[in-house]
Structure formats: structure tokens, C-alpha cells
Amino acid sequence: MTITITAFERSPDGGMGLARDTRVRWALEETGQPYEVRPVSFAAMKEPAHLAIHPFGQIPTYEDGDLVLFESGAIIFHIASHYPGLLPNDANARARAITWIFAALNTVEPAILELVTAKFLEGDKPWTKERLPLIADRIRERLRLLSARLGDANWLDGEFSAGDLTMASVLLRLRPSGLLNEFPRLADYVARSEARPAYKRAFADQLAFNTGAPPAR
Amino acid sequence: MTITITAFERSPDGGMGLARDTRVRWALEETGQPYEVRPVSFAAMKEPAHLAIHPFGQIPTYEDGDLVLFESGAIIFHIASHYPGLLPNDANARARAITWIFAALNTVEPAILELVTAKFLEGDKPWTKERLPLIADRIRERLRLLSARLGDANWLDGEFSAGDLTMASVLLRLRPSGLLNEFPRLADYVARSEARPAYKRAFADQLAFNTGAPPAR
């Protein structure tokens, strides 16, 4: 069986790697799993065929034989729990690594999503200019605590894990805002993540997919 | 070993059950695990002793022997994967149930958190009145698709699972807004969840904890 994921036919970010298929591609690269990508257009995402595999009409999805999953966090967790490379074997260390997946998605990313909402869905509203500093301060509070926890370590808890993969993916969304660079430890953490060969392959592949150019490796 | 969780010394919601320890209490009740609750004051939450177990200075946390976890989603997942009652045995069904945990936390809850932010953190801002309908419409879009997927089923995928526990907990946050009742299938789904004996015990216990009254059972 070949693993098949879905991705935007053309990502709105033009291949900056911020669409959520990049996270899944990265997890598949870290675990050495080959996969195919099926493009989905914006129109097709809201049609019954796609809604049957993704109830919220988004990407990515994950198909492997008769298993169909949606939601990038769930897919990353599934890959990490089925193939070695993204979760420690020790039960307690494994539970802690999984905790960081959830912390990235439910404590750090919602604050960042408010910034995305403000810029892209309310960018034309008169209040947005005044709201942006409030949103930025709420993000800073999360980043300050995350940076304090990371300290001088390379990764959040021991070896690189699916928790780091998810957290780095979430933090990457902040780079255009400049907020990430206010926290040098976190900026280094993201740079360290991006330097991983598996990330580089995933990024190059999504870029090629979104620009129609062959991946430069 | 006794499982110990943390909760607000006095929840800001006064015992409405919306603080995130309720989700964890519910999971522990569904799986029949006894537990103790350690109250944490708002001041103590930001002190080093608590930050050492919860890097973002929040509740709940989960301690069991030398395992220390934070983040309610991660704790629910940990309980569900270690004790029977909240995840199916079939591998594919299990992966799908876990997917709903992530969908609740990363697709549905962020839209709802924007409402919480607008009401509680930006309630005094001049733009909030005009923003609330925009936020409500974005929540409605999620609810519309969730309701369509649920259809006439009792639960999101087969038997009640940790995915339903998490989704119902997230949807409960919407009740004060009136949005939940616009989607009768989802309102029924939440009512069905609240009718579970384990939820009733968890709710009664958090209410007693927050009001200082003994649980009424």
C-alpha cells in the first residue's frame, strides 16, 4: 500500500511551506516513509467527495489502505506511533513527547491563529491595526514561557520528537511577523529544525509541488 | 500510586464546568480511575514550582508516580490509551477516534477561543461589538460541517470515545453564546454527553470543589 496525502493544488502561501501538508510531509520524511500527494482544488475541497474524507473540507488528509485520517496533528501522531524515529521508546518520555504535540496545537497555535485571522480575514477592518499589538503581546507571553522551558536545550524534551516537529511547524508561521526573532532561543530552535535533512526534503517537495518546478536537492 | 491533577483553587467560571480540569475529571471517571485534586491559586500558577510541571503556567496537570504531564488534550489521550473505556481496540477505529481529539482541539476550539478572547480580553474595546458577529459566523461554519458529519449518529465514529469527550467539552464552551442551540444535532450531542454518569460525577465534583459544597450525587 502507498500512503497518499492531500495538499492544496496551489497553496495560498505559494510554497512558503506554511500549509499543513508540509508538517505531514516532514513526519513522513523523518520516518522514511514514501508517499504520494493528491492535489485538491479550493472548489473540490468543499465537495462531497473530499468532505467524506475531511469533514471540515481542508487539507491534509492521509490514506493508507482502508485507513483514512484527517487533521495534521492526528496524522503526525499516527505516523509517529507507527514508524520509528519520532517518539521515544520509554513510556514516560513518549507521553511527554506527545504532550508537546498537544501543547503546540492547543496552547501555542491558537494564539498564532488569531494573528492569521486578523491579517487575512479581518485585514480590511478598521480595528485591525489597533488589535495587532494586543494579539502580538498574547503570542509573546506564550513564546516567553516556551523559551524559558526550552532554555539551552536543543529540543523540548530529550531527543527530537514529533512534539518538536509540531512545535517548530507552528512557530514557523510566526516568521513573517518578526515575533520569532524576538526570542533568539526559539529562532535558533526553528533554524535547527529547518536544518534537518528530512525537513529540507519536505520543504523542497512542497515547493516543487506548488511551483511546478522539480525539487532542488 | 494515586493520580493527582491540578485545578484552579477557584475557577473563574464559578463551577460551570468550563475549566479544563473538568475534561480530565471526565476522562478519569469514564475509565474508573480514582484521583486527587490539588488546588492551585492564580498567583501560584505563575511561580517556578508550578511552571516546572506546567511550562505555560496553567491547569490541569497530571501526576502519576514519576510521570508528570500537562495540557488537557495530552492528559485525556494518556488516560484513554492506558485505561480501557475511551478508545476502540481496532487499530483503524482507534486512529480515527484519536483524530477527533485533535480535530476538537485544533480545528473547532481555536474558532471558539476567539470568542473567549473577544469577550474576556477585549470586552472593553470599541471594536468588539462589531467583531462578535464575524467570530460567530466563523464558528458557525465549523459547526455546520461538524453537524453534517455527525448526521443522525449518536457519536462521531461508532461508540463514544475520547474524541467525543473532547469534542463535547469544546462545544460546551459555546452554550452561553447561544450558538450551540442553532445546531440541534450538536445541542443533542452535547446533552447526550452530559447525560453520561461519568460526566455527571465529574461535573458534580468540580462544582463542589469550586463552591466548597459537598458533591450532590
Side-chain angles (χ1 to χ4, degrees):
Chain A
M1 282 299 173
T2 306
I3 293 167
T4 302
I5 68 170
T6 50
F8 290 122
E9 190 173 46
R10 282 288 180 273
S11 172
D13 76 355
M16 282 176 65
L18 301 181
R20 292 191 191 187
D21 60 291
T22 304
R23 305 179 185 189
V24 170
R25 291 171 183 268
W26 186 7
L28 289 164
E29 292 288 350
E30 290 281 354
T31 55
Q33 299 304 310
Y35 63 99
E36 292 179 356
V37 185
R38 190 171 69 240
V40 188
S41 69
F42 285 109
M45 283 169 70
K46 307 302 175 188
E47 285 169 11
H50 189 68
L51 285 171
I53 61 170
H54 196 313
F56 297 102
Q58 300 175 334
I59 59 94
T61 57
Y62 177 97
E63 290 161 77
D64 184 11
D66 56 0
L67 175 65
V68 181
L69 299 176
F70 63 98
E71 194 77 24
S72 56
I75 297 170
I76 290 168
F77 170 76
H78 177 78
I79 294 165
S81 57
H82 279 71
Y83 305 107
L86 283 173
L87 287 174
N89 290 322
D90 172 75
N92 283 4
R94 197 176 180 92
R96 290 196 306 271
I98 292 168
T99 291
W100 283 109
I101 303 178
F102 284 100
L105 298 176
N106 199 234
T107 290
V108 178
E109 193 161 35
I112 296 173
L113 287 172
E114 290 224 28
L115 187 62
V116 176
T117 300
K119 286 190 175 168
F120 295 98
L121 300 181
E122 297 183 11
D124 59 341
K125 301 296 180 194
W127 55 73
T128 294
K129 194 180 166 192
E130 216 175 325
R131 276 194 77 231
L132 286 175
L134 304 179
I135 296 170
D137 279 347
R138 294 195 289 261
I139 295 171
R140 283 188 186 99
E141 177 64 7
R142 299 290 201 232
L143 298 186
R144 184 181 68 76
L145 291 164
L146 181 64
S147 178
R149 168 54 67 105
L150 179 65
D152 293 322
N154 278 345
W155 308 114
L156 288 165
D157 195 320
E159 296 296 305
F160 178 84
S161 77
D164 293 300
L165 185 153
T166 311
M167 188 64 82
S169 298
V170 165
L171 294 177
L172 266 169
R173 302 184 77 145
L174 280 179
R175 183 169 288 145
S177 72
L179 287 169
L180 186 60
N181 287 335
E182 294 180 19
F183 298 85
R185 281 171 166 164
L186 297 181
D188 288 351
Y189 171 77
V190 171
R192 206 177 294 126
S193 302
E194 291 174 301
R196 295 180 68 84
Y199 179 82
K200 288 185 180 174
R201 288 193 298 272
F203 184 88
D205 284 343
Q206 68 77 34
L207 181 63
F209 189 87
N210 282 301
T211 58
R217 285 192 182 162
Chain B
M1 284 299 173
T2 306
I3 294 168
T4 301
I5 68 169
T6 50
F8 290 122
E9 191 172 46
R10 283 288 180 273
S11 172
D13 76 356
M16 283 177 65
L18 302 181
R20 292 191 190 185
D21 61 291
T22 304
R23 305 178 184 188
V24 170
R25 291 172 183 269
W26 186 8
L28 289 164
E29 291 288 350
E30 290 282 355
T31 54
Q33 299 305 309
Y35 64 98
E36 292 180 356
V37 184
R38 189 171 70 240
V40 188
S41 70
F42 285 108
M45 284 169 70
K46 308 301 175 189
E47 285 169 12
H50 189 69
L51 286 171
I53 60 171
H54 196 314
F56 298 102
Q58 300 174 334
I59 60 94
T61 57
Y62 178 98
E63 291 161 76
D64 185 11
D66 58 359
L67 176 64
V68 180
L69 299 177
F70 63 98
E71 194 78 24
S72 56
I75 297 170
I76 291 168
F77 170 76
H78 177 77
I79 294 165
S81 57
H82 279 71
Y83 305 108
L86 282 173
L87 287 175
N89 290 322
D90 173 75
N92 282 3
R94 196 175 181 92
R96 291 196 306 271
I98 292 167
T99 291
W100 283 109
I101 303 178
F102 283 101
L105 298 176
N106 199 233
T107 290
V108 178
E109 193 161 36
I112 296 173
L113 287 173
E114 290 224 29
L115 187 62
V116 176
T117 299
K119 285 190 175 169
F120 295 99
L121 299 181
E122 297 183 12
D124 60 341
K125 301 297 179 195
W127 53 73
T128 295
K129 193 180 166 192
E130 217 174 325
R131 276 194 77 230
L132 286 174
L134 305 179
I135 297 171
D137 279 347
R138 294 195 288 260
I139 295 171
R140 283 188 186 99
E141 177 63 7
R142 299 289 200 230
L143 299 186
R144 184 181 69 75
L145 291 165
L146 181 64
S147 179
R149 167 54 68 105
L150 179 64
D152 293 322
N154 278 344
W155 308 113
L156 287 165
D157 195 319
E159 296 295 304
F160 178 84
S161 78
D164 293 298
L165 185 153
T166 311
M167 188 65 82
S169 298
V170 165
L171 294 177
L172 266 169
R173 301 185 78 144
L174 280 179
R175 183 171 287 144
S177 72
L179 286 169
L180 186 60
N181 287 334
E182 294 180 19
F183 298 84
R185 281 170 166 165
L186 297 182
D188 288 350
Y189 171 76
V190 171
R192 200 149 47 234
S193 302
E194 291 175 300
R196 294 179 69 84
Y199 179 82
K200 287 184 179 174
R201 288 194 297 274
F203 184 88
D205 284 344
Q206 68 77 33
L207 181 63
F209 189 86
N210 281 302
T211 59
R217 285 192 182 162

